[in-house]
């Protein structure tokens, strides 16, 4: 398969057959990286979507992005999902730089996670296809100066984080709410352990940005070794014969009776709660 001409097909194989669990976990951790940029974290706190309606925001984001991956850019489902994402983003004063950075997290964080914890490393074909897929998504979202190669995505992410990661009280509230959400998926007595385990997977720049107490070396080593052990165990399993799409993740809980893509997400009203930006029209 050609990683340029068939990028989205390759990316579908990567996410739905080869690494569905790993990609989901990586994109969850990518959320924290976006919060650590104060301009992004403050905006998310102001909308209250990730503090008051955390589960729904998590679900809607996953389902909209998954529709593009599952059905391809030329499908009716993908066009509907992209239209909804654009409608929401246009309601807020989001810089191209922040939009570009968030797009970079979708490319770089999953590769780094899979290379560290997956049952194998990503191939060059898969890496190129991921970059091309999100380059195409960036074009559909109207983001300017989208990186062209994986290396450019990686350089953009690293330089933006070095320049912009920092403390913000509102961003910390969003990070705390996301920690609470992920802990809520499991029995309540496990919540402290799960919060600690998630923090053990965050790197030092993230911990400093949120002013989280760094986990001890032993705790960090145990958590990371456990995740690596899971990857080695998966290596022994037979190949996946049926796709596992993001919409099938058990962590998505807001729509037990189904959903319509055109009804997902927010519909902010200018000047009211849900959209902190007043627009002239």
């Amino acid at each position: 398969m050609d990683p340029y001409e068939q990028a989205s097909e390759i990316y579908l194989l990567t996410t739905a057959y080869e690494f569905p669990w790993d990609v989901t976990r990586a994109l969850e951790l990518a959320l924290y990286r976006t919060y650590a940029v104060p301009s992004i974290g403050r905006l998310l706190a102001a909308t209250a979507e990730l503090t008051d309606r955390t589960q729904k925001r998590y679900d809607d984001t996953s389902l909209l992005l998954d529709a593009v991956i599952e059905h391809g850019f030329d499908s009716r489902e993908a066009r509907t999902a992209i239209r909804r994402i654009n409608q929401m983003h246009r309601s807020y004063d989001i810089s191209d730089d922040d939009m570009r950075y968030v797009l970079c997290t979708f490319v770089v964080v999953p590769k780094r996670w899979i290379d560290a914890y997956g049952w194998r490393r990503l191939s060059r074909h898969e890496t190129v296809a991921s970059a091309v897929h999100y380059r195409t998504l960036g074009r559909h979202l109207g983001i300017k100066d989208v990186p062209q190669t994986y290396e450019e995505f990686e350089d953009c992410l690293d330089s933006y984080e070095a320049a912009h990661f920092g403390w913000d009280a509102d961003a910390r509230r969003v990070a705390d709410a996301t920690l609470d959400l992920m802990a809520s998926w499991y029995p309540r007595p496990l919540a402290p352990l799960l919060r600690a385990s998630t923090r053990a997977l965050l790197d030092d720049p993230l911990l400093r940005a949120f002013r989280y107490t760094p986990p001890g070396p032993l705790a960090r080593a145990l958590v990371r070794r456990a995740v690596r052990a899971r990857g080695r165990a998966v290596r022994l399993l037979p190949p996946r014969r049926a796709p596992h799409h993001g919409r099938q993740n058990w962590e998505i809980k807001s729509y037990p009776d189904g959903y319509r893509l055109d009804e997902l997400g927010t519909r902010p009203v200018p000047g009211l709660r849900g959209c902190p930006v007043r627009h002239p029209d």
Side-chain angles (χ1 to χ4, degrees):
M1 300 177 72
D2 187 285
Y4 296 95
E5 298 298 326
Q6 298 170 288
S8 291
E9 292 91 333
I10 294 173
Y11 190 64
L12 174 63
L13 293 174
T14 302
T15 59
Y17 287 87
E18 297 289 276
F19 302 102
W21 186 88
D22 295 278
V23 170
T24 299
R25 301 289 82 77
L27 292 178
E28 287 169 356
L29 290 186
L31 290 173
Y32 294 98
R33 309 201 78 82
T34 65
Y35 309 157
V37 176
S39 57
I40 300 175
R42 281 195 300 268
L43 176 61
L44 292 171
T47 67
E49 290 298 319
L50 273 164
T51 52
D52 296 357
R53 296 171 288 276
T54 317
Q55 181 71 63
K56 184 178 186 302
R57 173 58 188 263
Y58 174 92
D59 294 350
D60 289 0
T61 301
S62 299
L63 293 171
L64 289 169
L65 291 173
D66 178 64
V68 180
I69 297 169
E70 179 177 357
H71 300 286
F73 285 104
D74 294 331
S75 67
R76 175 180 56 83
E77 291 86 352
R79 290 195 297 271
T80 300
I82 291 170
R83 187 181 306 116
R84 275 273 61 229
I85 294 171
N86 282 329
Q87 288 169 344
M88 288 186 287
H89 286 164
R90 280 198 297 267
S91 299
Y92 303 100
D93 187 14
I94 307 173
S95 71
D96 279 321
D97 290 343
D98 281 352
M99 289 282 287
R100 190 182 310 109
Y101 168 69
V102 173
L103 191 71
C104 289
T105 67
F106 297 156
V107 178
V108 179
V109 178
K111 174 175 169 50
R112 289 179 174 175
W113 171 282
I114 290 169
D115 287 353
Y117 304 117
W119 65 271
R120 63 169 174 83
R121 296 171 67 89
L122 279 187
S123 70
R124 182 61 186 172
H125 256 50
E126 290 166 321
T127 301
V128 170
S130 171
V132 173
H133 174 84
Y134 282 107
R135 187 175 75 196
T136 305
L137 179 62
R139 186 177 70 249
H140 283 287
L141 297 180
I143 302 173
K144 297 178 181 177
D145 301 322
V146 173
Q148 297 299 296
T149 66
Y150 173 79
E151 289 73 22
E152 290 181 7
F153 275 103
E154 190 171 45
D155 288 345
C156 180
L157 179 134
D158 289 338
S159 60
Y160 204 70
E161 291 181 352
H164 295 281
F165 266 15
W167 162 255
D168 183 86
D170 287 336
R172 167 66 184 260
R173 288 198 300 114
V174 177
D176 289 344
T178 304
L179 276 176
D180 291 342
L181 170 68
M182 295 177 181
S184 74
W185 296 331
Y186 302 90
R188 183 171 296 179
L190 296 178
L193 175 62
L194 292 165
R195 291 190 187 93
S197 298
T198 300
R199 288 196 298 270
L201 291 168
L202 303 181
D203 57 30
D204 289 335
L206 274 180
L207 295 170
R208 288 194 297 268
F210 296 130
R211 296 184 181 174
Y212 282 145
T213 301
L218 178 60
R220 178 174 283 180
L222 287 174
V223 170
R224 297 187 179 199
R225 286 174 185 171
V227 182
R228 289 191 186 100
R230 182 258 172 202
R232 288 193 292 269
V234 170
R235 190 181 303 165
L236 304 176
L237 299 177
R240 184 182 295 275
R241 298 299 182 185
H244 180 91
H245 299 292
R247 60 180 169 77
Q248 296 172 295
N249 289 343
W250 68 273
E251 296 91 349
I252 294 178
K253 301 180 181 298
S254 299
Y255 305 102
D257 300 320
Y259 61 90
R260 287 169 50 103
L261 285 170
D262 59 354
E263 295 177 351
L264 297 179
T266 61
R267 285 172 171 77
V269 178
L272 299 179
R273 184 173 179 81
C275 180
V277 182
R278 291 187 178 274
H279 302 275
D281 57 350

